[in-house]
Amino acid sequence: MGKYGMNSIDNIAAVSSATGGAIAVIRVSGKSAFDICLKVWKKKGIVSADDADAGKMLLGHCVFGETIPPEKAYAVFFKSPKSYTGENMIEIHSHGGNSVVSRILCSLIGNGARQAEPGEFTYRAFMNGKLDLSQAEAVADVITAKTELSLNMAERQLEGGIAERIGAIEEELFSVLSECEANLDFAEEHHIKAAGADQIKDALNNVIKKTESILKTAKGGIILRDGIKIVIAGHPNSGKSSLFNLLAGRDRAIVTEIAGTTRDTVEEDVRIGRISARLVDTAGIREADDIIEKLGIERSKKSIDSADIILWLLDPAASHEEQIQEMLKHLRKKENTVAVWNKSDLLSKAEIEKLPDTGVMRIIISVKKNEGVGKLLDAIEDIAWGEERDREPEIAINLR
């Protein structure tokens, strides 16, 4: 039965809580889950699942033989089909120390369970009809959510938001199909009133609008699940690494006044507004003789090609025209690029006003003085979200 080899007598066990917490949760699921757990967890008066109140936390002890003292633990019984997996399932809530958790899990495995594969509990929930596929995917999204918004979206999907919208569209299509079949099968029966062509056309147009509305959430879904890749590129010594450190919130990249200090790409996970992003600092783009710097520049070019957003730093002290031409030469598309004139603190107001147009969105900042960076962050969100910038999507579909 697929990846996990699921069958009616297979019993699985796994720790389902995060490592390092004060309390740990160990789950067991399968036809014989109760029998296995009752060999490890004991409570006076409970010798079978029939003696336990389903869904209630019961205080007992996990026992490990005569030489090891018992461990206090709660147990919760969930009888099939009223469980997360749809099978008999039990949760043991114990102290969260690694030794305790390992001892309980090993005891369960020693008494007939096996270690669950990653995602196997959710797989069983899906196979037993407790979750649809979009909800099963949402479980993984909840676990990996990096921002509050991505968590909100995953929780809505887990509640069935996408399935509900798609189900409504299915019903409308079945209704249209019924009307079409009625027109074909009972064309001569004047007493049967089937929908006319105009009504069917209107119904289909309504379905198309609803479908397009859902498809518009695809971009937001990708951003929420995967984040975006932001590459900082540009002229050597233009302040790329300084901007990288500022956005990363720490001194991650080496910063000196020597051009070409950054020889390789440096990466860091950051959060910009509602977006989780992978920030990449690159070697300055220039003609280089040093073989190591050349390799770094080649990697920089590859990063630029794969970037969702490019922040191209320009140095007012270097040739404006040469830098702009170099930037335009490396861009696959202009709409995902921000030309960032840095070091505005070294310029007069008149000099700032004379900075040339770059052919792409332009922001003027001073990393040293932390001026204009707020506008840069807004520009990043504008490019990432587009028209959805100020709206929280109701649902967010994935590629599947």
Side-chain angles (χ1 to χ4, degrees):
M1 288 286 291
K3 173 183 175 182
Y4 301 109
M6 190 177 78
N7 59 65
S8 60
I9 61 171
D10 201 19
N11 300 282
I12 56 173
V15 181
S16 61
S17 54
T19 303
I23 301 295
V25 180
I26 302 102
R27 279 178 171 174
V28 185
S29 182
K31 186 175 181 180
S32 304
F34 296 156
D35 295 333
I36 291 170
C37 285
L38 287 170
K39 293 176 183 177
V40 178
W41 179 88
K42 306 286 185 180
K43 180 178 174 62
K44 187 177 180 180
I46 297 180
V47 294
S48 72
D50 294 332
D51 301 323
D53 290 332
K56 291 188 177 180
M57 297 190 76
L58 306 171
L59 180 60
H61 292 83
C62 289
V63 296
F64 313 103
E66 295 180 0
T67 60
I68 301 174
E71 173 71 26
K72 277 189 176 181
Y74 285 96
V76 188
F77 291 77
F78 300 94
K79 297 180 180 180
S80 173
K82 296 181 179 180
S83 71
Y84 176 71
T85 60
E87 303 171 332
N88 286 336
M89 194 181 84
I90 193 168
E91 290 182 354
I92 296 176
H93 297 242
S94 71
H95 292 110
N98 289 338
S99 297
V100 173
V101 174
S102 177
R103 186 175 290 168
I104 295 172
L105 184 59
C106 287
S107 295
L108 292 168
I109 292 171
N111 280 284
R114 67 167 173 82
Q115 176 73 53
E117 297 288 339
E120 189 167 1
F121 281 89
T122 299
Y123 172 78
R124 291 192 175 202
F126 168 67
M127 292 299 292
N128 291 323
K130 304 299 287 187
L131 300 172
D132 63 34
L133 188 52
S134 66
Q135 289 173 308
E137 291 169 338
V139 174
D141 291 339
V142 168
I143 293 169
T144 58
K146 295 179 181 178
T147 67
E148 186 176 347
L149 181 57
S150 60
L151 178 60
N152 289 346
M153 292 299 97
E155 287 176 339
R156 287 177 189 172
Q157 185 173 328
L158 187 56
E159 291 171 0
I162 292 176
E164 187 177 325
R165 294 274 291 273
I166 293 174
I169 289 173
E170 276 188 319
E171 286 187 16
E172 290 186 48
L173 286 172
F174 277 124
S175 178
V176 170
L177 181 61
S178 301
E179 295 290 351
C180 291
E181 289 178 345
N183 275 304
L184 290 169
D185 294 342
F186 305 106
E188 306 300 326
E189 305 291 337
H190 298 294
H191 62 282
I192 296 178
K193 301 293 183 182
D198 289 340
Q199 288 177 278
I200 291 173
K201 184 178 178 181
D202 289 342
L204 288 174
N205 284 332
N206 186 46
V207 166
I208 290 169
K209 286 179 182 178
K210 289 182 178 180
T211 307
E212 288 175 341
S213 175
I214 294 176
L215 287 173
K216 285 180 181 178
T217 72
K219 182 180 180 181
I222 292 169
I223 292 172
L224 291 173
R225 288 182 179 86
D226 304 330
I228 59 173
K229 181 179 180 180
I230 303 173
V231 171
I232 303 175
H235 192 272
N237 209 27
S238 57
K240 297 187 303 300
S241 296
S242 296
L243 177 60
F244 178 89
N245 288 339
L246 180 63
L247 296 179
R250 64 191 183 102
D251 291 338
R252 179 70 172 80
I254 297 172
V255 177
T256 74
E257 294 182 358
I258 302 170
T261 299
T262 302
R263 299 295 187 92
D264 199 357
T265 56
V266 182
E267 301 186 9
E268 185 78 5
D269 289 323
V270 300
R271 179 174 172 176
I272 295 177
R274 303 183 298 166
I275 301 171
S276 172
R278 187 71 173 170
L279 190 65
V280 182
D281 183 24
T282 62
I285 305 294
R286 66 173 180 177
E287 294 296 326
D289 297 322
D290 184 281
I291 188 169
I292 297 175
E293 187 177 357
K294 277 185 175 180
L295 290 172
I297 291 170
E298 285 305 311
R299 288 192 178 186
S300 297
K301 291 176 180 178
K302 289 180 181 178
S303 293
I304 291 167
D305 288 340
S306 63
D308 296 303
I309 296 177
I310 301 167
L311 307 180
W312 196 285
L313 262 67
L314 302 167
D315 185 355
S319 168
H320 295 174
E321 185 62 28
E322 286 183 13
Q323 291 183 88
I324 293 171
Q325 290 305 314
E326 184 72 30
M327 174 186 71
L328 295 176
K329 183 172 73 175
H330 291 288
L331 299 184
R332 288 184 295 111
K333 52 185 180 180
K334 295 181 179 180
E335 57 268 24
N336 73 331
T337 303
V338 183
V340 184
W341 288 102
N342 189 23
K343 306 180 182 180
S344 64
D345 54 300
L346 302 179
L347 304 176
S348 66
K349 185 176 180 180
E351 288 173 320
I352 290 174
E353 290 175 351
K354 289 181 180 179
L355 289 173
D357 182 40
T358 59
V360 298
M361 183 189 299
R362 187 183 77 162
I363 302 287
I364 300 169
I365 70 168
S366 167
V367 174
K368 185 177 181 180
K369 299 288 185 180
N370 197 5
E371 294 174 350
V373 177
K375 290 182 179 180
L376 179 59
L377 297 178
D378 285 340
I380 291 171
E381 285 208 83
D382 284 339
I383 294 172
W385 291 112
E387 295 178 357
E388 302 298 318
R389 166 73 192 272
D390 298 321
R391 295 199 298 267
E392 181 172 325
E394 184 181 344
I395 58 172
I397 63 171
N398 59 21
L399 185 59
R400 182 191 65 77

